[in-house]
Amino acid sequence: MPATSPAGLSRRGFLAAGGGLSLAAMLGLSGCGDSSSSNSGKAADTLTLLLPGDAPTGWDAILAKVNEKLKNDLGFTIAPQFVAWSNYQQQSLLKFTAGENFDTALQARWLNMIQLVASKSLVPVDGLISKYPNLSKTLDPQLLEQNKWSGKLYGIPQVNSAARFHHFTVRQDLADKLGIGEISTFDQLEKFWYDVKQKEKLTPIGISSNMPDLLVAFAPVGWLNQHDWENPHVSVQTFSGGSLPFYLAQDGKSTGSAKPIPFWEAPGVLDALRKVRKYYLDGIINKDALNVDSSTIGSQFESGRIATRWAMTDGLSSQALTPLRKAVPTAQIANVVPLRGGKDAKPNQTFQADNFVVLNVKGRSNERAMQLEDWVSIKENHDLLSYGVEGTDWKPVGTDKFEQLSQYSFPGYALCWRQKLELKIKGITPTEEAWFDWAQKYDNFTLDPYASFVPDVTPVKRQDSQVNAAMTQYGNPLWIGAVDVDKGLDNLKKAVDKAGLADLQAEMEKQANAYLKGQ
Amino acid sequence: MTTATSTTSSLAKAAGRTAAKRRTGGWEPFTVVSVIGVALFMLICLIPFWVILSGSFTDEQTLAGKGYSLIPQPFSTAAYKLIFTGPTLVSAYVASIFITVVGTVLALSITSGLSWVIARRLPYVSRPLAIFAYIPMLFAGGLVPLYLLVTQYLKLQNSYFAVILPLLVAPFLVFIQVSAFRQLPEEILDSARVDGAGEMQIFFRIGLPLSKPILAVVGLFYAVHYWNEWFTALLFMSDIHKYPLPLLLQNLISNVTFSQMLPTAAEQSTPVYQLRLALTVVTIGPILLAYPFAQRYFVKGITLGATKG
Amino acid sequence: MSTRTSVRSSLWLGLLAVPAVAFFLVFSYAPMAGLVVAFKEFDISKGLFGSPWNGLDNFRYFFASGDAQRILLNTIVLNVLFLAATLAAGVTLAIMLNEIRGRFFKRAAQSTIFFPYFVSPVVIAIMLQVLLSGPAGDGGVVNDALAGFGLPTVSWYTEPGPWPWILTFVKIWQLGGYMSVIFLAAITSIPEDVYEAGQIDGASRAQMALRITLPLLKPTAAVLLVLGVGRIFYGDFGTIYAIVGDNGTLFPTTDVIDTYVFRSLRQIGDFGTTAAIGLFQSVVGFVLVSTAVLIQRRYSKETSLL
């Protein structure tokens, strides 16, 4: 009942987002939703940036230094606004919708970038980058090329490696103790899990509630899909995150036809589903996967209760070692990428960046925003913003690593991630470093035939949202093995058929074929 | 009042046997049942509270293993250190106290005024007003119009009033108060009128003083809501030095949750379990301290007999 | 009511309501114009008035879903359970608290039972997991207890059946104290002499509670009930989502309108459809409340809300 009281607004924040009114017109004020003019007293010599998360420890001091230098170099300063992660998506969309005049923001496909591109709220930057030498020097031409959507680049891709490839972090000390040694294949990995279960009484794999759709039908590989690890050449597309995955034909380029099929028809997927079901029944994966969040899994791994955890080629999973050693002094961790053929496997990769810095069409000065992006591409400036003051916040280790001295931590991926400038953390393990280096080279991968294909959900919006709902209900339990595969898949098929699978499939085919034609 | 009188008279017939002074007498079965019932419910509330409190002082490693702890062993203040080393904690407390105090006073005054007018059942005024106040409980324009209103027309960004004003009158509490005002005995108000008191005087001199319990309750609820409010602050405050406490804590927790999914450059681990529990303690603390003051009014209560005389 | 208030003094008295009326006009009624987006195909760059109309398309979305019936049913069942349970708990606790004479105990009790209201849904969800599933997902305090008594254990997070009751229990825990405060204030306002009459008649305390206190709480309960009825089509999003999240196996009994809409639209962020569903919930709530008020006026004019 207190939902009816003032706090009700906040509890229902997301749903309350319903109204999209320009109050102006209602009050008879000509309906111009753009308020930027009214704020112009502040002049364009301060850029507003939207950053996710919380202001880092020691932020005021670093910001003062950054602004002092910026003022000297370029004649303006920045005023970043931090928006908590849990509200970032809603808040940034709201600010775009209200026509605010902030200058840059973090956007991505998993946020609202597709919508914002469709509504022309973002400045295309492909023509601009070449005018800024420092910026273009630090961005790989391949990166820019692959991140164009329909021929245009709508933001500056933020990456610290060429490819993003998810894999496993395992407790190497346990593998050694169990006599398995270094793990390099999926079969070894599986043996490790069963041995851990039997002899160590730990949970072999920790899965959190935001992982189910990564486990089986996912590109470049389903995390627990052995077939994919052995044949890492699949292209999977969805209309929106969490929706039904379609597999696209690998020979599309030569035949001109993408032939999308729902995931259950793809080779290896059924086997993988059955295997995950077995893991679930055998207690290899945690039974509460659908209800436990990633930070909880992280914390359990760090206290030595989980033997395997999800990892990304971002060079950061070794961070877990320090806290882990507090709980288990002899702990060792290793990163395992069980590709058949190891580092020569050349798996598919779209090279799509996970994060972009976008320029707001209504920003005070798009030119200065680009100047800022150029300025943070200079090593000295990049390091100041990313790591803080050298000597007090961090110190270099060798030529390519750094040691953190203070608690300062900046969300670089929302402003200044440059593959060539990022330093590795000091404690990076040898296996992680090897795979991280591997992910730095474009040549280690096969270009996904649908690499820069971004399906447009608009024509099938209604069907997609209903399929999305069905996937959460029937798909998630299936992905983590909580239900019988045949029965679960049957229920899922019925639900998505009713929700409009056929429409989605036809639309996917149309768009993918059009994409192939344009290549 | 009619119900009460009729019940009492029927009681007289039914149980007119003993006219002893029950009230000061020993423990009746019902009292015993009540004490046990309340004690049980207290226990259901106290155990989780203890688990939260104790957990907030327990080392993360232990907590991650069991998920809870009944004794803070090994003892750790890591989560509190994390919370209290935040650079803006003092200004956050200042902001929260300002918002809560000013907000509650304003809200309580305005709500009381409206409630009184509705409760008096004035012809052509009270009922339309009640409907007028009820509709916002059901229909809301949504986030975008409110956002535009506050930022572009009222220009209240980074002002504490951007948090206070949008939540100023809660229809729910208006109706709670109306129902309480209506239970004031009409005879008292009438006798005041006979003595020549104006309607305003009646409100200020009789209506409000007689309604202290409900004023305390409604005031308490407003205070609680303002103290907990982070969403409007999130919408309208961009200056971290003006964040109220709940927004600061909200950011801290969401940051911890997401930092596990997204790369940060720092080599540090945050005590996730512990932090969540410690945040609960930090938020509740001040309210629990302030609670007894409000409680005075509805625990002790005021007997109408006393005021009448 | 008994004295006829003159028109002049009623206008004068009306001044007391002016600030609140101004508040509602600016912060509630003005933004309501935003509801037109429910009938539009919203486009960020075109804004509200530039966006094209699309009639009732946004409304069709929800009802076209095969799950609409089940979700509507869940919403109503859960809300009725929550409303009845929290009201009953509030009244019972208030009456019981009123029986307690030890001042210290009474205060301590009140503070304690009010506390759960402050516990955030996330923390509630964690505590439930400890109780029902344990850290690794197999076990939990409740299952340990069941096993201790030789009873079969339950895999709670894959069993939809018990969840309406579990959620109701959570609501009682969360709001029992909060509601009791409202009722306790009402009890405090009951004139002492009413009880004195009861004492003279020799009524036991149980009888007094049942025949004096309880009837006098009716108006307050009626107000809370009517207010609650209006919101019966809203789910309790915060708590339910924090506890159930995306666990599809529990949806058959726990999925309500708000959680369904959140889930199916979080990726697309369609303002038009969310507004349409909000408007639908409001209109249904309005109809229900109007009915409730009419019924109430018919049977007990004394306690009527309006």
Side-chain angles (χ1 to χ4, degrees):
Chain A
M1 212 149 300
T4 57
S5 44
L9 175 68
S10 50
R11 306 266 146 71
R12 293 177 22 87
F14 176 84
L15 297 162
L21 160 83
S22 160
L23 193 78
M26 200 204 76
L27 299 175
L29 294 169
S30 86
C32 162
D34 182 3
S35 70
S36 43
S37 49
S38 59
N39 251 355
S40 59
K42 220 175 163 186
D45 45 46
T46 302
L47 297 187
T48 311
L49 325 172
L50 293 190
L51 298 178
D54 208 355
T57 319
W59 172 239
D60 287 347
I62 307 285
L63 179 65
K65 283 212 165 60
V66 167
N67 273 339
E68 192 190 323
K69 199 151 182 302
L70 254 179
K71 187 96 194 159
N72 274 335
D73 296 352
L74 297 171
F76 62 86
T77 57
I78 53 172
Q81 279 183 24
F82 286 91
V83 180
W85 261 118
S86 50
N87 303 97
Y88 185 82
Q89 177 164 18
Q90 182 199 41
Q91 289 291 300
S92 61
L93 186 61
L94 182 65
K95 285 177 196 290
F96 272 110
T97 306
E100 293 208 348
N101 60 357
F102 59 92
D103 293 282
T104 73
L106 168 77
Q107 270 300 330
R109 256 181 94 167
W110 52 274
L111 292 167
N112 298 95
M113 191 143 161
I114 295 177
Q115 240 177 314
L116 293 170
V117 167
S119 67
K120 302 195 174 55
S121 307
L122 308 180
V123 181
V125 294
D126 39 324
L128 302 176
I129 290 177
S130 57
K131 294 182 202 151
Y132 299 90
N134 298 307
L135 184 61
S136 40
K137 235 181 5 206
T138 49
L139 297 173
D140 197 290
Q142 281 243 48
L143 173 70
L144 298 180
E145 197 47 44
Q146 296 313 327
N147 281 289
K148 282 182 181 167
W149 298 359
S150 323
K152 276 200 153 61
L153 188 64
Y154 287 101
I156 296 157
Q158 306 288 309
V159 295
N160 70 348
S161 60
R164 276 144 297 286
F165 210 88
H166 66 171
H167 56 280
F168 305 86
T169 300
V170 300
R171 285 278 301 279
Q172 190 57 43
D173 55 320
L174 296 179
D176 291 341
K177 191 170 149 203
L178 294 164
I180 297 170
E182 196 176 318
I183 300 172
S184 60
T185 68
F186 198 85
D187 287 328
Q188 287 170 331
L189 206 49
E190 194 169 78
K191 182 172 183 319
F192 169 68
W193 292 331
Y194 275 90
D195 286 359
V196 163
K197 178 75 188 170
Q198 272 173 1
K199 296 176 191 149
E200 298 295 327
K201 307 281 172 242
L202 300 185
T203 309
I205 313 176
I207 292 177
S208 73
S209 59
N210 44 9
M211 284 172 64
D213 42 358
L214 313 177
L215 300 183
V216 178
F218 190 75
V221 289
W223 198 56
L224 295 177
N225 186 333
Q226 184 163 8
H227 174 272
D228 283 1
W229 286 107
E230 290 166 3
N231 313 277
H233 301 287
V234 293
S235 304
V236 183
Q237 288 284 356
T238 60
F239 275 108
S240 59
S243 185
L244 189 125
F246 287 103
Y247 279 67
L248 306 181
Q250 289 303 294
D251 57 359
K253 269 190 179 153
S254 51
T255 63
S257 137
K259 295 194 282 293
I261 47 171
F263 68 88
W264 55 79
E265 291 174 19
V269 167
L270 272 180
D271 292 340
L273 285 174
R274 288 188 211 288
K275 192 157 245 181
V276 176
R277 172 69 174 157
K278 188 164 173 294
Y279 292 163
Y280 179 87
L281 292 174
D282 294 344
I284 299 296
I285 51 188
N286 52 319
K287 288 218 160 52
D288 55 353
L290 289 180
N291 281 86
V292 61
D293 59 24
S294 58
S295 51
T296 307
I297 292 292
S299 184
Q300 290 185 353
F301 182 80
E302 286 168 4
S303 53
R305 296 185 46 85
I306 289 177
T308 311
R309 174 194 185 185
W310 188 83
M312 182 45 100
T313 49
D314 54 14
L316 298 169
S317 39
S318 305
Q319 279 178 181
L321 195 56
T322 319
L324 179 59
R325 286 238 170 101
K326 261 195 261 161
V328 188
T330 57
Q332 294 287 351
I333 58 178
N335 281 35
V336 173
V337 183
L339 285 167
R340 182 192 275 164
K343 296 195 175 71
D344 303 319
K346 289 201 181 259
N348 271 17
Q349 178 65 223
T350 64
F351 301 112
Q352 288 279 318
D354 284 339
N355 304 298
F356 292 86
V357 170
V358 299
L359 269 56
N360 181 6
V361 165
K362 289 178 177 156
R364 291 197 192 91
S365 169
N366 293 148
E367 198 194 332
R368 293 204 151 164
M370 284 304 288
Q371 285 175 356
L372 174 69
E373 279 296 296
D374 189 57
W375 186 83
V376 295
S377 308
I378 299 167
K379 183 163 171 44
E380 187 190 352
N381 305 333
H382 168 272
D383 290 354
L384 174 60
L385 200 53
S386 301
Y387 312 121
V389 177
E390 191 173 337
T392 38
D393 294 309
W394 65 288
K395 64 174 190 215
V397 177
T399 52
D400 60 347
K401 297 197 180 74
F402 79 106
E403 186 185 352
Q404 184 91 29
L405 300 175
S406 72
Q407 294 280 301
Y408 182 75
S409 148
F410 183 78
Y413 48 87
L415 192 69
C416 57
W417 256 22
R418 302 287 181 265
Q419 190 190 340
K420 290 169 189 164
L421 298 180
E422 297 307 314
L423 298 175
K424 287 180 250 187
I425 55 172
K426 183 190 145 212
I428 194 164
T429 61
T431 51
E432 172 158 42
E433 190 168 9
W435 284 109
F436 188 48
D437 290 345
W438 169 78
Q440 299 297 327
K441 300 192 190 74
Y442 285 88
D443 293 343
N444 281 335
F445 299 88
T446 309
L447 180 65
D448 187 306
Y450 304 89
S452 51
F453 171 45
V454 179
D456 173 17
V457 70
T458 326
V460 284
K461 209 162 70 176
R462 186 161 307 140
Q463 293 89 327
D464 187 67
S465 64
Q466 274 161 25
V467 166
N468 222 317
M471 285 302 292
T472 320
Q473 183 172 354
Y474 302 104
N476 278 355
L478 193 64
W479 294 142
I480 67 145
V483 291
D484 177 72
V485 175
D486 298 306
K487 229 195 282 165
L489 199 54
D490 225 44
N491 286 335
L492 176 73
K493 282 181 189 168
K494 265 186 227 148
V496 292
D497 273 342
K498 214 161 139 195
L501 169 67
D503 295 348
L504 288 193
Q505 194 168 354
E507 185 63 30
M508 183 64 87
E509 179 147 29
K510 196 173 117 199
Q511 291 187 21
N513 287 347
Y515 170 81
L516 289 173
K517 220 175 178 179
Q519 284 292 294
Chain B
M1 265 344 110
T2 41
T3 14
T5 354
S6 63
T7 358
T8 37
S9 58
S10 68
L11 270 175
K13 282 170 214 149
R17 210 159 34 88
T18 41
K21 287 189 194 169
R22 293 277 186 162
R23 225 180 147 80
T24 46
W27 288 62
E28 283 196 34
F30 184 63
T31 312
V32 176
V33 169
S34 296
V35 170
I36 294 174
V38 170
L40 273 181
F41 200 84
M42 274 175 80
L43 211 59
I44 298 178
C45 299
L46 264 181
I47 294 172
F49 181 65
W50 175 252
V51 169
I52 289 174
L53 190 66
S54 145
S56 73
F57 284 105
T58 307
D59 189 70
E60 175 75 3
Q61 315 278 0
T62 314
L63 226 44
K66 284 199 295 182
Y68 63 96
S69 103
L70 290 174
I71 307 145
Q73 182 71 34
F75 190 81
S76 151
T77 53
Y80 289 98
K81 271 193 198 130
L82 198 72
I83 295 173
F84 287 102
T85 49
T88 49
L89 193 82
V90 173
S91 60
Y93 266 104
V94 172
S96 273
I97 291 171
F98 180 88
I99 289 169
T100 306
V101 171
V102 175
T104 306
V105 169
L106 280 178
L108 190 57
S109 327
I110 295 181
T111 305
S112 303
L114 176 67
S115 306
W116 185 260
V117 179
I118 295 178
R120 286 305 94 216
R121 300 188 201 266
L122 304 174
Y124 307 111
V125 176
S126 294
R127 191 178 301 164
L129 262 186
I131 297 170
F132 183 79
Y134 185 73
I135 284 178
M137 211 168 132
L138 290 176
F139 295 87
L143 202 54
V144 181
L146 181 68
Y147 186 80
L148 291 174
L149 174 72
V150 174
T151 58
Q152 292 180 17
Y153 293 95
L154 304 175
K155 298 217 188 305
L156 288 172
Q157 298 100 311
N158 284 324
S159 155
Y160 296 142
F161 283 94
V163 182
I164 294 174
L165 292 180
L167 305 174
L168 203 51
V169 185
F172 177 73
L173 296 180
V174 170
F175 288 103
I176 298 284
Q177 214 173 356
V178 167
S179 124
F181 279 152
R182 282 194 182 152
Q183 289 186 48
L184 293 179
E186 199 67 32
E187 311 86 66
I188 302 181
L189 306 182
D190 280 346
S191 66
R193 280 189 197 104
V194 170
D195 292 348
E199 288 298 320
M200 280 291 180
Q201 269 178 313
I202 292 176
F203 172 62
F204 285 109
R205 300 266 169 79
I206 299 169
L208 287 184
L210 283 186
S211 309
K212 272 187 200 156
I214 198 64
L215 290 179
V217 169
V218 171
L220 174 74
F221 285 180
Y222 273 124
V224 164
H225 289 310
Y226 275 119
W227 183 260
N228 279 338
E229 182 55 33
W230 57 270
F231 189 71
T232 37
L234 171 82
L235 284 177
F236 305 124
M237 303 294 210
S238 54
D239 179 356
I240 50 168
H241 301 285
K242 289 192 163 172
Y243 280 5
L245 190 64
L247 181 59
L248 201 71
L249 302 182
Q250 180 73 23
N251 283 358
L252 199 57
I253 195 78
S254 91
N255 212 32
V256 165
T257 309
F258 280 85
S259 64
Q260 302 275 344
M261 278 162 45
L262 289 144
T264 47
E267 283 183 79
Q268 50 179 312
S269 82
T270 351
V272 180
Y273 280 98
Q274 209 192 344
L275 189 61
R276 283 174 182 145
L277 304 180
L279 288 176
T280 311
V281 175
V282 172
T283 322
I284 298 174
I287 287 279
L288 285 193
L289 290 181
Y291 192 61
F293 292 102
Q295 227 182 18
R296 226 179 52 169
Y297 291 100
F298 44 89
V299 171
K300 191 174 69 181
I302 7 170
T303 52
L304 284 177
T307 1
K308 246 186 248 170
Chain C
M1 302 158 273
S2 40
T3 358
R4 283 189 39 172
T5 330
S6 72
V7 176
R8 200 177 61 86
S9 73
S10 102
L11 277 179
W12 182 235
L13 196 56
L15 279 182
L16 287 174
V18 169
V21 170
F23 162 82
F24 281 122
L25 280 179
V26 175
F27 286 96
S28 301
Y29 285 90
M32 266 182 217
L35 288 171
V36 295
V37 80
F39 305 95
K40 294 206 154 198
E41 182 75 45
F42 185 68
D43 182 323
I44 300 171
S45 59
K46 290 184 189 137
L48 178 73
F49 292 96
S51 293
W53 296 94
N54 68 354
L56 295 176
D57 260 17
N58 291 335
F59 292 86
R60 231 165 267 147
Y61 149 82
F62 178 68
F63 295 99
S65 142
D67 300 321
Q69 220 180 355
R70 187 199 71 202
I71 292 160
L72 289 179
L73 190 70
N74 279 346
T75 311
I76 293 171
V77 167
L78 285 180
N79 274 316
V80 168
L81 275 178
F82 293 171
L83 188 59
T86 51
L87 275 181
V91 171
T92 314
L93 277 172
I95 289 181
M96 285 180 159
L97 275 170
N98 192 44
E99 284 303 303
I100 292 170
R101 271 159 286 167
R103 211 169 137 145
F104 175 76
F105 181 53
K106 192 167 180 171
R107 281 200 186 186
Q110 276 203 46
S111 296
T112 322
I113 64 176
F114 198 55
F115 141 81
Y117 181 72
F118 295 98
V119 179
S120 75
V122 180
V123 174
I124 295 182
I126 297 173
M127 292 195 298
L128 260 188
Q129 277 175 27
V130 169
L131 284 177
L132 300 178
S133 85
D138 39 11
V141 177
V142 172
N143 277 337
D144 292 350
L146 285 177
F149 288 112
L151 294 165
T153 61
V154 182
S155 169
W156 298 100
Y157 282 89
T158 52
E159 248 340 291
W163 278 91
W165 307 107
I166 297 175
L167 291 176
T168 306
F169 180 80
V170 169
K171 283 322 268 188
I172 293 178
W173 181 78
Q174 203 181 20
L175 293 181
Y178 183 97
M179 296 296 249
S180 77
V181 170
I182 299 178
F183 287 112
L184 207 58
I187 292 180
T188 316
S189 310
I190 297 173
E192 199 70 12
D193 45 9
V194 178
Y195 289 105
E196 275 158 19
Q199 272 168 39
I200 294 163
D201 293 345
S204 75
R205 296 201 56 88
Q207 281 170 324
M208 289 203 284
L210 204 65
R211 300 195 191 154
I212 303 177
T213 317
L214 202 57
L216 286 174
L217 290 181
K218 262 205 308 208
T220 311
V223 169
L224 291 175
L225 192 67
V226 169
L227 294 178
V229 162
R231 301 195 53 96
I232 231 160
F233 259 47
Y234 294 88
D236 175 12
F237 179 75
T239 315
I240 295 183
Y241 192 73
I243 293 173
V244 176
D246 289 343
N247 184 350
T249 44
L250 301 184
F251 289 171
T253 57
T254 60
D255 206 13
V256 293
I257 299 177
D258 289 358
T259 51
Y260 178 83
V261 173
F262 173 80
R263 230 177 36 243
S264 58
L265 294 179
R266 68 182 146 192
Q267 281 295 326
I268 301 178
D270 183 340
F271 282 133
T273 310
T274 34
I277 292 175
L279 190 58
F280 165 71
Q281 290 172 309
S282 307
V283 171
V284 174
F286 190 72
V287 171
L288 288 176
V289 165
S290 310
T291 319
V293 169
L294 285 180
I295 294 174
Q296 201 185 21
R297 277 157 58 88
R298 178 137 183 201
Y299 289 102
S300 130
K301 211 163 168 55
E302 272 292 300
T303 64
S304 167
L305 178 65
L306 300 178

